[in-house]
């Protein structure tokens, strides 16, 4: 994985001192809260319902054991002994004191981490495929490209006061494990007909209150123009993105209002201009970055394992993923225990995951946008020992991509924007399906819950989505069906009137039962929904 | 009105800037003020005539002026480029990188804080409208 050189370290250290100075001026009253707000946001510090929340960047979700240990130490030292892994492949802490935030950032900088641009109207942490460098189906490892753009977008002088936040995802596979087309810019590394590598640019996707799927605005940008093309996309947005209404300020609205064709024309015009400006790093820089993402020394070993323990076999079937090296798998550590808070991990659990990464996965971990943790490179021979340690620590839930593997935003338990609680709904659903035994029969079923229309819980993209709203002071939950964030990207449709907190749990089970009744061989929930449409579900829910 | 902070040695223009619209309407003015909604590219055919371009920031969170400044520098404008309005100390370093070389903030900037802010960044990651050498360039010098 990427390691800082003296330049990267100097920049992160400077940022800590800048923030320390800004926080001091705020505490002394020299900065108003309005003036301080964008500064603290660009360091990941939000004011939540009960305290400050600090979001730490985990670039493209990759971290090493020492970094995971440091995240655990921070949970103990500055928070209440736990952290929350997010849909942006980051971690956030919910109980931070402003007075201590600079010290926290300083601790992060010691392990080459930061909270730069994890919030605010700027280019956010760049996300990627959580199986990058391990997946059998990838063209190349997308992370060097993500790192190139991370550096370009860090402290960008022109694009730090954009109309609204800006999220970029980079993938390099036909399989989309990063919700690429639901980003402001989605980049897919591709090969053209001549076999040369380049990047397809999808611009103007997003969730939020107006979900949009990004159109492809250019099928092939040569690798030595990635930064320049990105700069052109951002400049057109900075110039014309709406600033009169924060709910219409994302680039998706601009692309929609101008039309993809006109937006593209303007980007191409700006791109032609910027190509004369010499702003592109040389390909040698990309080659330098690639060396950090070279394969670890995989060794040949057994390709099968003793499956006589049924609990272990179930975990292997559900939570391990085929690897490009056939004596290895990627193993997913579920942060979705039955009745637990999706994405939460205690300091002890983080320490354990760090140790296991060192012992079994070449000291590397990934954060999934589905709020789980991956050990990307595990020898098949090591799986029984790994599973035993996970199971003992309550981290062995065999539920990847099942109805128990729920994405949920923090909701009204923490968030000042929320209209309804998300976490208790997730807890009740996982308890319900664990108790009724239907999880296995349902197979792949991605359920996502947001506590308000900002859609941090990705409800638009769930096979089943739940949106919490406030209905005359009472929490009410709408049900959506048919969304997908994957390569078959689609936006879910609302079934009809909403439900109470308990009613939504029943409604999910009703929808699941329609699928179990109607499915053909081999169909996932989403496939059946697409074949039969929403009406049979409505009939069962409201009929 | 606070004092003007200049990072140039030439004599300042001593008369008020006109709006982009009135400038383009056959004005002989050599000072113009760009508002956030103006397209700075409209000035490009007239850069030789201009000695001062003011870019107004009515609110510091509206970042259109950063692009306006850089566009003018990229087009070869080498006259004074002044950020005016809600210009705060924590934005000045980025403004300088976008090509601004003078500042007329609504509220006076504390000189020590300003000095610290401008000295803050040991390196830069991107090529912009200043002369600083990006990190990638140093790595492959």
């Amino acid at each position: 994985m990427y390691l800082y050189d003296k330049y990267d370290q100097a920049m992160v250290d400077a940022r800590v001192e800048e923030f320390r100075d800004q926080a001091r001026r705020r505490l002394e009253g020299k900065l108003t809260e309005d003036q301080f707000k964008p500064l603290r946001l660009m360091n990941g510090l939000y004011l939540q319902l009960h305290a400050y929340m600090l979001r730490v960047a985990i670039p493209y979700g990759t971290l090493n054991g020492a970094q995971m240990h440091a995240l655990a130490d921070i949970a103990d030292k500055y928070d209440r002994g736990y952290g929350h892994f997010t849909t942006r492949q980051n971690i956030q802490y919910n109980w931070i004191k402003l007075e201590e935030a600079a010290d926290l950032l300083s601790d992060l900088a010691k392990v080459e981490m930061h909270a730069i641009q994890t919030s605010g109207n700027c280019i956010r942490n760049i996300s990627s495929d959580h199986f990058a460098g391990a997946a059998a189906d990838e063209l190349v490892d997308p992370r060097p490209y993500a790192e190139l753009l991370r550096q370009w977008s860090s402290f960008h002088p022109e694009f730090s006061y954009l109309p609204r936040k800006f999220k970029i995802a980079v993938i390099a596979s036909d399989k989309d494990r990063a919700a690429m087309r639901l980003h402001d810019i989605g980049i897919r590394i591709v090969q053209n007909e001549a076999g040369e590598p380049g990047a397809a640019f999808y611009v103007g996707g997003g969730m939020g209150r107006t979900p949009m799927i990004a159109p492809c605005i250019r099928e092939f940008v040569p690798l030595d123009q990635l930064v320049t093309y990105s700069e052109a996309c951002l400049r057109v947005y900075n110039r014309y993105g709406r600033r009169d209404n924060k709910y219409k300020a994302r680039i998706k609205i601009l692309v929609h209002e101008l039309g993809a064709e006109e937006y593209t024309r303007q980007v191409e015009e700006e791109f032609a201009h910027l190509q004369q400006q010499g702003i592109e790093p040389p390909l040698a820089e990309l080659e330098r970055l690639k060396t950090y993402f070279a394969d670890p020394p995989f060794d040949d070993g057994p390709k099968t394992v003793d499956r006589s323990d049924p609990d272990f076999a179930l975990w292997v079937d559900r939570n391990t993923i085929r690897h490009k090296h056939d004596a290895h798998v990627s193993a997913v550590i579920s942060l979705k225990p039955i009745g637990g808070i999706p994405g939460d991990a205690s300091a002890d659990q983080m320490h354990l995951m760090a140790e296991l990464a060192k012992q079994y996965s070449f000291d590397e971990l990934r954060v999934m946008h589905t709020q789980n943790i991956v050990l990307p490179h595990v020898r098949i021979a090591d799986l029984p020992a790994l599973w035993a340690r996970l199971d003992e620590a309550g981290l062995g839930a065999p539920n990847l991509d099942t109805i128990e593997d729920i994405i949920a935003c923090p909701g009204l338990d923490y968030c000042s924007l929320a209209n309804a609680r998300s976490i208790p709904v997730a807890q009740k659903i996982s308890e319900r399906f664990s108790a009724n035994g239907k999880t296995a029969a349902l197979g792949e079923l991605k359920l996502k819950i947001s506590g308000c229309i900002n859609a941090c819980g990705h409800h638009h993209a769930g096979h089943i989505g739940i949106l919490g709203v406030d209905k005359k002071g009472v929490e009410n939950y709408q049900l959506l069906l048919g969304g997908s964030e994957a390569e078959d990207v689609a936006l879910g449709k609302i079934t009809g009137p909403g439900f109470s907190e308990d009613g939504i749990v029943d409604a999910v089970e009703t929808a699941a039962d329609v699928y179990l009744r109607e499915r053909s061989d081999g169909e996932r929930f989403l496939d059946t929904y697409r074949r039969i449409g929403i009406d049979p579900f409505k009939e069962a829910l409201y009929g | 009105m606070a004092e003007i902070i200049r990072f140039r040695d030439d004599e300042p223009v001593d008369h008020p800037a006109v709006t982009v619209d009135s400038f383009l309407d056959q004005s002989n003015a050599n000072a113009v003020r760009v508002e956030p909604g103006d397209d700075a590219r409209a000035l490009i055919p007239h850069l030789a005539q201009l000695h001062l371009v003011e870019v107004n920031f009515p609110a510091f969170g509206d970042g259109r002026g950063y692009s306006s400044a850089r566009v003018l520098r990229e087009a070869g404008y080498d006259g004074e480029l002044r950020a005016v309005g809600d210009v705060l100390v924590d934005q000045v370093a980025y403004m300088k990188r976008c090509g601004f070389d003078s500042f007329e903030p609504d509220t006076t900037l504390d000189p020590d804080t300003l000095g610290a802010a401008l000295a803050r960044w040991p390196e830069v990651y991107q090529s912009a409208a200043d002369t600083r050498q990006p990190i990638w360039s140093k790595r492959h010098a």
Side-chain angles (χ1 to χ4, degrees):
Chain A
M1 57 180 278
Y2 187 66
L3 298 173
Y4 285 4
D5 66 4
K6 61 179 179 180
Y7 300 114
D8 299 307
Q9 190 66 51
M11 293 300 277
V12 168
D13 290 343
R15 179 62 148 204
V16 173
E17 291 316 307
E18 181 189 50
F19 181 74
R20 192 182 294 285
D21 181 54
Q22 290 165 344
R24 177 185 58 76
R25 282 186 279 135
R26 173 69 191 120
L27 291 166
E28 289 172 357
K30 290 177 182 167
L31 280 174
T32 67
E33 174 54 24
D34 278 352
Q35 291 168 342
F36 182 58
K37 185 177 173 187
L39 306 176
R40 66 169 163 76
L41 288 180
M42 272 188 259
N43 287 286
L45 200 61
Y46 277 81
L47 195 53
Q48 294 279 54
L49 279 179
H50 313 291
Y52 280 102
M53 177 274 274
L54 189 123
R55 183 182 294 148
V56 175
I58 301 175
Y60 31 89
T62 293
L63 74 168
N64 63 26
Q67 292 172 328
M68 186 64 104
H69 278 303
L71 294 177
D73 289 339
I74 284 169
D76 273 337
K77 186 171 168 187
Y78 300 101
D79 202 285
R80 298 183 177 178
Y82 66 98
H84 178 74
F85 290 96
T86 78
T87 56
R88 294 294 305 158
Q89 300 179 289
N90 293 323
I91 184 170
Q92 37 193 67
Y93 299 100
N94 284 309
W95 304 97
I96 300 301
K97 297 183 182 73
L98 176 58
E99 292 82 351
E100 296 180 346
D103 290 336
L104 192 168
L105 296 180
S106 174
D107 287 358
L108 282 174
K110 288 173 191 145
V111 290
E112 303 184 6
M113 296 187 88
H114 59 74
I116 296 161
Q117 292 170 211
T118 55
S119 180
N121 294 333
C122 53
I123 303 171
R124 301 288 189 88
N125 185 40
I126 292 173
S127 56
S128 186
D129 187 334
H130 41 249
F131 297 134
D137 56 32
E138 74 183 7
L139 181 66
V140 291
D141 189 330
R143 291 173 300 167
Y145 309 93
E147 176 60 27
L148 183 79
L149 294 174
R150 182 191 77 81
Q151 296 192 22
W152 160 73
S153 60
S154 293
F155 319 109
H156 198 293
E158 186 177 338
F159 305 133
S160 290
Y161 295 91
L162 294 168
R164 200 72 178 85
K165 58 189 172 183
F166 203 91
K167 300 175 181 178
I168 300 175
V170 185
I171 66 171
S173 169
D174 289 339
K175 293 277 181 193
D176 183 358
R177 290 174 284 258
M180 182 270 287
R181 290 185 71 188
L182 296 168
H183 281 73
D184 296 286
I185 294 182
I187 294 172
R188 184 156 68 91
I189 305 299
V190 294
Q191 267 181 350
N192 66 8
E193 285 172 6
E196 297 157 340
F201 270 65
Y202 296 79
V203 180
M207 294 196 241
R209 62 187 69 204
T210 318
M212 303 245 186
I213 295 168
C216 183
I217 69 155
R218 203 182 221 254
E219 289 181 1
F220 192 83
V221 176
L223 291 185
D224 61 355
Q225 295 167 12
L226 276 184
V227 163
T228 309
Y229 200 79
S230 301
E231 189 119 345
C233 291
L234 263 297
R235 182 173 283 177
V236 173
Y237 170 55
N238 193 39
R239 183 181 287 145
Y240 293 122
R242 286 181 62 170
R243 293 175 189 266
D244 59 324
N245 180 342
K246 71 179 279 198
Y247 302 118
K248 296 187 174 177
R250 294 288 291 271
I251 194 173
K252 62 192 174 188
I253 303 293
L254 176 69
V255 173
H256 182 72
E257 288 184 352
L258 282 179
E261 201 174 320
E262 172 59 15
Y263 172 77
T264 306
R265 187 192 67 74
Q266 298 206 25
V267 168
E268 292 290 333
E269 186 180 308
E270 199 63 50
F271 179 52
H273 162 71
L274 285 169
Q275 280 182 292
Q276 311 304 315
Q277 297 296 323
I279 61 172
E280 186 78 32
L283 277 177
E285 175 62 3
L286 203 45
E287 292 305 317
R288 185 188 78 89
L289 297 175
K290 282 183 191 170
T291 62
Y292 289 100
F293 298 95
D295 283 346
F298 299 128
D299 53 22
D300 291 325
K303 298 173 178 53
T304 56
V305 65
D306 176 4
R307 296 167 52 91
S308 54
D309 180 335
D311 291 339
F312 169 68
L314 180 66
W315 180 80
V316 169
D317 290 342
R318 290 243 181 93
N319 283 39
T320 67
I321 304 294
R322 196 163 83 87
H323 194 280
K324 66 184 181 186
H325 188 285
D326 62 4
H328 295 74
V329 291
S330 297
V332 174
I333 302 173
S334 171
L335 297 183
K336 316 288 175 67
I338 302 303
I341 297 176
D344 270 18
S346 69
D348 288 345
Q349 289 176 327
M350 286 188 249
H351 281 306
L352 176 68
M353 291 190 284
E355 284 167 29
L356 295 175
K358 187 162 182 82
Q359 196 168 350
Y360 297 119
S361 184
F362 299 96
D363 201 29
E364 203 177 312
L365 307 101
R366 309 289 175 77
V367 182
M368 301 171 76
H369 81 272
T370 53
Q371 304 181 283
N372 295 310
I373 303 293
V374 182
L375 299 180
H377 313 297
V378 179
R379 282 182 293 269
I380 289 173
D382 289 335
L383 285 172
L386 171 64
W387 177 74
R389 303 269 305 271
L390 289 173
D391 192 43
E392 189 187 342
L395 289 169
N399 54 15
L400 176 68
D401 289 340
T402 69
I403 196 165
E404 298 168 16
D405 184 11
I406 298 167
I407 288 183
C409 72
L412 200 53
D413 291 296
Y414 294 99
C415 180
S416 53
L417 302 174
N419 298 121
R421 290 167 301 149
S422 304
I423 291 169
V425 174
Q427 290 170 318
K428 285 184 180 177
I429 290 171
S430 77
E431 283 165 352
R432 169 76 63 91
F433 282 85
S434 167
N436 69 19
K438 292 177 183 174
T439 299
L442 290 167
E444 180 185 309
L445 207 176
K446 299 185 181 182
L447 194 149
K448 304 176 196 293
I449 307 174
S450 303
C452 79
I453 53 177
N454 291 310
C456 296
H458 296 186
H459 64 274
H460 300 296
H463 298 176
I464 295 178
I466 295 173
L467 167 63
V469 296
D470 177 292
K471 196 172 173 186
K472 295 173 186 156
V474 179
E475 290 161 279
N476 188 266
Y477 295 90
Q478 294 179 344
L479 185 69
L480 294 88
L481 299 176
S484 172
E485 67 202 344
E487 57 281 1
D488 59 355
V489 59
L491 302 171
K493 283 203 182 110
I494 295 175
T495 54
F499 302 89
S500 67
E501 183 177 330
D502 288 326
I504 191 67
V505 181
D506 293 337
V508 167
E509 186 166 3
T510 300
D513 287 341
V514 172
Y515 158 68
L516 292 175
R517 190 183 73 218
E518 298 288 337
R519 68 177 169 182
S520 302
D521 284 350
E523 276 187 338
R524 302 171 301 161
F525 178 92
L526 184 63
D527 303 323
T528 300
Y529 171 83
R530 287 176 173 175
R531 179 172 55 78
I532 69 176
I534 201 167
D535 289 341
F537 293 92
K538 280 185 169 175
E539 177 66 24
L541 288 162
Y542 306 106
Chain B
M1 188 63 71
E3 63 182 302
I4 298 171
I5 303 159
R6 290 181 92 236
F7 295 87
R8 1 182 356 120
D9 298 328
D10 55 354
E11 280 299 308
V13 172
D14 63 357
H15 52 267
V18 301
T19 65
V20 170
D21 280 349
S22 59
F23 175 80
L24 294 175
D25 192 20
Q26 297 180 333
S27 164
N28 295 319
N30 63 2
V32 65
R33 172 181 279 221
V34 176
E35 297 294 336
D38 291 332
D39 190 340
R41 292 174 296 182
L43 300 175
I44 290 175
H46 314 285
L47 294 181
Q49 180 190 332
L50 285 168
H51 293 185
L52 171 65
V53 177
E54 293 180 353
V55 177
N56 189 28
F57 290 84
F60 72 89
D62 185 335
R64 285 176 284 187
Y66 294 87
S67 288
S68 299
R70 229 181 122 191
V71 162
L72 292 172
R73 291 301 190 206
E74 285 167 358
Y77 175 66
D78 61 4
E80 184 167 342
L81 190 53
R82 183 182 296 167
V84 305
D86 195 14
V87 174
L88 305 175
V89 71
D90 292 289
Q91 281 85 50
V92 169
Y94 284 177
M95 287 178 170
K96 273 195 87 180
R97 295 221 61 215
C98 288
F100 288 106
D101 56 8
S102 77
F103 302 90
E104 189 176 352
D106 288 343
T107 307
T108 305
L109 306 184
D110 173 61
D112 292 342
T113 313
L114 177 64
L118 290 177
R120 178 77 63 201
W121 299 104
E123 307 289 346
V124 296
Y125 273 118
Q126 329 68 7
S127 178
D130 55 0
T131 56
R132 297 192 70 176
Q133 189 183 3
I135 290 170
W136 51 257
S137 168
K138 293 187 176 184
R139 282 176 180 147
H140 302 281

